[in-house]
Amino acid sequence: MCHAVQTLFTEMGVSWAVHELDKDPRGKDVERALAGMVGRSPPVPTVFIGGALVGPTDRVMSLHLGGQLVPLLRQAGALWL
């Protein structure tokens, strides 16, 4: 699912960054905290836009299909067009 979000954002021209939990020495702690925030395990990918929690892939796709994702990305300065 990480690939689906990355592909969507790339095709939209979004400036995005990834934090790879499996490469972070504190990754398991971060993963547990994210699981509590999104209410599921595993919690990845968990998407933040402009520092605000959006949620997992299904929430991102729901926002996209509902026409609400682009305004969030523009407001955060992650999308220029």
Side-chain angles (χ1 to χ4, degrees):
M1 288 310 227
C2 293
H3 179 71
V5 173
Q6 291 175 355
T7 300
L8 173 65
F9 284 173
T10 298
E11 288 179 0
M12 293 175 72
V14 173
S15 173
W16 55 271
V18 173
H19 184 85
E20 300 285 349
L21 296 180
D22 58 340
K23 296 178 183 172
D24 184 330
R26 298 173 302 135
K28 289 292 181 191
D29 294 331
V30 174
E31 189 171 332
R32 278 190 290 278
L34 288 172
M37 294 171 74
V38 299
R40 66 173 69 172
S41 186
V44 293
T46 300
V47 177
F48 290 80
I49 296 176
L53 174 66
V54 172
T57 302
D58 59 339
R59 176 74 176 134
V60 173
M61 295 305 179
S62 177
L63 289 169
H64 178 57
L65 294 172
Q68 299 169 306
L69 183 59
V70 168
L72 284 176
L73 293 166
R74 282 189 181 140
Q75 183 178 354
L79 184 63
W80 299 102
L81 300 175

